[in-house]
Amino acid sequence: MGSLKKSGGVNGAILSRIATNDQHGENSEYFHGWKSYDKDPFHLSRNPHGVIQMGLAENQLCLDLIKEWIKENPKASVCTPEGVHQFSDIANFQDYHGLKEFRQAIAHFMGKARGGRVTFDPERIVMSGGATGANETIMFCLADPGDVFLVPSPYYAAFDRDLRWRTGVEIVPVHCSSSNNFKLTVEAVEWAYKKAVESNKNVKGLLFTNPSNPLGTILDKDTLKNLVRFVTKKNIHLVVDEIYAATVFAGENFVSVAEVVKDSEVNADLIHIVYSLSKDMGLPGFRVGIVYSYNDSVVSCARKMSSFGLVSSQTQFMLASMLSDDSFVDNFLMESSKRLGIRHGVFTLGLKKAGINCLISTAGLFVWMDLRHLLRVRNSFESEIELWHIIIDKVKLNVSPGSSFQCTEPGWFRVCFANMDDDTLHVALLRIQDFVSKNSNKTAEKASDNDQVIQNNNAKKQKWKQSNLRLSFRRLYEDGLSSPGIMSPHSPLLRT
Amino acid sequence: MKQLSTKVTSNGHGQDSSYFLGWEEYEKNPYDEIKNPNGMIQMGLAENQLCFDLIESWLAKNPDAASLKRNGQSIFKELALFQDYHGMPEFKKAMAEFMEEIRGNRVTFNPKKIVLAAGSTSANETLMFCLAEPGDAFLLPTPYYPGFDRDLKWRTGAEIVPIHCSSSNGFQITESALQQAYQQAHKLGLKVKGVLVTNPSNPLGTALTRRELNLLVDFITSKNIHLISDEIYSGTMFGFEQFISVMDVLKDKKLENTDVTKRVHVVYSLSKDLGLPGFRVGAIYSNDDMIVSAATKMSSFGLVSSQTQYLLSALLSDKKFTSQYLEENQKRLKSRQKRLVSGLESAGITCLRSNAGLFCWVDMRHLLDTNTFEAELDLWKKIVYNVKLNISPGSSCHCTEPGWFRVCFANMSEDTLDLALKRLKTFVESTDCGRMISRSSHERLKSLRKKTVSNWVFRVSWSDRVPDER
């Protein structure tokens, strides 16, 4: 090879710890469901017995509206004859401030998605590589390796990667429980904060998703206000990931943290919002993430860091045009909310028929399904995983077990409903109903458990009857059957 | 309690450097032919604006790609939902083939070993995260792209130790410079994880010679470290030589299935060759499966927009277009570079002889009051504020010799370039040195030409024609 002697440490060649550790979280067993789906994906006509993907929080319900808009607005693309005169300027544009029109349009859209109750300053809009990039960037700005962020559980599984992997930040969960419908309380946060500080951890802030993933619930204004006052008191940061802001389909209005930031008892320098168009608009492929901070230093730093994940100028240009179209946006937001509500109604009603309840939710692209009564051994995570494997392998549905979201109570599952067409949803419901009825025949033989199950179901039925939503669901169900069909999703994972 | 991270409060982003200050001055008073003819001309931006017309005419002939259709059918929904971090297979295939074409189809690139990133900015940072711990060092030949201070070091905590190159041999990398840098790193208590080079070089505008590439491969072999070759300018080679990639050298040395090849990684982007920096298309190519795997997961933090992947997979799969584009691009770059070089010459200024890139490495040492960086900064300020040209001082590129400047030529019209050269000539003639030139212009030009010739002769003597030492 050469006369040069081999010197230098053997260590020179090895990769970094980050590259070789498991902190990206992708080796977890939770990918079993994805792999099963990938091997055998459901298709209404070509593979009707395949696995139905219900683990992907995508919003496919209103893409037809966007597709139509694009068709009617060829000028919004720099590639069409109508728009190509802009091609060179846009293709050349890599300023990390982003196109002014894009920032203005995003700020405008964010305001509309919050019912016009707040306005956003385009100068504070910073781009990132999706909310994935935004969350990582905000961690780089607020925390050093070893610092801690409190995150209420159950939480989005990929936070373990996004908040921790390359940043070295630690997550300390704030456990929420079914005893109060998993509601986040200031007391719980205070307790978690105290415990962390007692263990000599340097707590830099609190981060949560609102509306919640995986719960689909929204935080009430009072709790939000109290949380904001709490972080001000402790001089720690608050990051609210509002990626599901416009997926509210019923009940109270969504209250953004932007609505409470002007409170005199709040230190605005501590408040930061993460946003994206991946859920509200159903455009995860376009990689539009936003960091919005009330702290000037953070805006400045995040903007410099955005060089590592700018939004393609081709995409900025198109969205600047689309999101400034008020009549399109107004109609889109209204229609999206309506379709999500119908879909949610159809699904939860169908689950009810199978004796399955979900946490009452008014937002999101999924339900938090209660299958505790189906666990072979109550309160056992082994049973949860066992049940999960049965759901994937026998019922052929890819759903996400609560433990993958760090839930402390076994038996809860997140099930997505907005990433498929009506027919597929119907098949999924039939399979669930079929599975449950077979299972309840089996459990009838176990006398000791049976009474308990019936009692629980009755109690839940009572609660359900009292719910105001029941009647409207019936109406929604009838409406839902007439929605236009959409093709089943392809696998996002590579098929080689 | 310290409220923000050290990344916010330090200036590791490097943006207080003069490189960026010139930009800020330009933003305040940008030149416009009609609206602001006395404004500042931007010559600090390495953009390729020469061939947009070729892409625009391709778009006109390919309405499907332009309007998110495939075989006349809209694929909007598929693109809207596509966020697979493995990237679009058609796109990676097209990228691989384009990279092969740029290298004369002498080497092959396996699409499965390509990891997409949001520009080479992201690609370089990602590679650092994969290869270096905080405090580990990479050796970089000086002068180097100022953005590396941010891209390689800021959030990764990695360090850069310079490999000093000098004008005495045309800024080529020598073995002694490599060894010196390696030892310097050790003196500083830093573990060296690899060498990173930009080939063709930014800011020099020269492609690495085969001798230098062999030297680098031998060096990383003996030290058991990595080599990153940022080949972002590979398609801008306009000299009579062909571009030699590190992949060529690995092949020629028959190292293809060895451990060494696993430690050589190529970074690429479409920002310079195709002039599409706004579209954020970068790539890492590695023969190490673990790196491909880790980098792929990291690409979640900066994926390429699906509509951009789709458009460019169609563009780059059109082989008729790519071969015509590469040829025309090189032709126009060559002609533009010649225009700059001869314009500078008439002002008594020479450049390092270049055969690639979107800029020239300009020698203004004779215009300095003293041979110091203070004098370089003084000269730079005069050029920025009085001559109204934003050019990049060598110190911002970590050059060890004062007086060199990077001047871009492909990001403006010919008329604008001519105006810039006129302004510069006027400025030079107004200085003491300039007056000397006009007094004894004949002798001066003669000696300048000699200098130019001897630079050229020197570089030729270090080229491929010298047999490799073994």
Side-chain angles (χ1 to χ4, degrees), chain B residues 66 82 117 173 186 207 254 272 279 282 290 306 322 405 442:
Chain B
F82 185 85
I173 302 170
H186 276 266
K254 298 196 178 11
K272 310 294 178 183
F279 287 6
M290 275 187 86
S306 58
T322 56
F405 291 78
H442 187 66

Side-chain angles (χ1 to χ4, degrees), chain A residues 403-422:
Chain A
S403 45
S404 68
F405 297 94
Q406 308 292 331
C407 184
T408 46
E409 297 174 37
W412 293 88
F413 290 79
R414 188 193 78 170
V415 185
C416 301
F417 57 70
N419 63 311
M420 64 194 69
D421 60 24
D422 290 327

Side-chain angles (χ1 to χ4, degrees), chain B residues 159-176:
Chain B
E159 296 289 347
I160 294 176
V161 172
I163 301 166
H164 294 299
C165 299
S166 90
S167 60
S168 59
N169 71 341
F171 293 94
Q172 288 194 49
I173 302 170
T174 63
E175 179 163 2
S176 67

Side-chain angles (χ1 to χ4, degrees), chain A residues 371 387-397 399 413:
Chain A
L371 294 184
L387 176 59
W388 177 55
H389 278 268
I390 292 171
I391 295 174
I392 296 174
D393 301 331
K394 301 271 161 58
V395 192
K396 300 281 200 79
L397 303 177
V399 299
F413 290 79

Side-chain angles (χ1 to χ4, degrees), chain A residues 242-257:
Chain A
E242 299 191 345
I243 192 176
Y244 291 98
T247 65
V248 176
F249 51 78
E252 298 293 319
N253 279 330
F254 168 64
V255 181
S256 164
V257 72

Side-chain angles (χ1 to χ4, degrees), chain A residues 309-350:
Chain A
L310 295 173
V311 176
S312 169
S313 54
Q314 176 189 15
T315 302
Q316 287 187 53
F317 185 76
M318 170 172 283
L319 292 173
S321 185
M322 195 189 300
L323 301 182
S324 324
D325 183 342
D326 276 344
S327 73
F328 166 77
V329 170
D330 290 340
N331 181 56
F332 179 90
L333 290 172
M334 183 196 69
E335 199 54 38
S336 175
S337 181
K338 187 166 133 206
R339 294 182 192 184
L340 281 169
I342 291 171
R343 188 52 80 82
H344 174 269
V346 167
F347 191 51
T348 48
L349 198 69

Side-chain angles (χ1 to χ4, degrees), chain B residues 44 135 202 318 384 416 452:
Chain B
N202 174 12
D318 184 340
V384 166
T416 309
T452 319

Side-chain angles (χ1 to χ4, degrees), chain B residues 13 17 20 28 33 83 92 99 173-174 189 195 209 214 221 245 249-250 290 362 369 371 374-375 418 420 429 438 451:
Chain B
H13 48 73
S17 99
F20 293 99
K28 288 185 211 159
E33 205 178 347
Q83 57 172 328
K92 293 210 298 190
M99 288 168 74
I173 302 170
T174 63
V195 179
T209 58
N214 280 327
T221 303
S245 164
V249 166
L250 290 172
M290 275 187 86
V362 178
D369 291 332
N371 183 26
E374 286 76 25
D418 289 343
E429 281 167 357
S438 59
K451 207 164 142 202

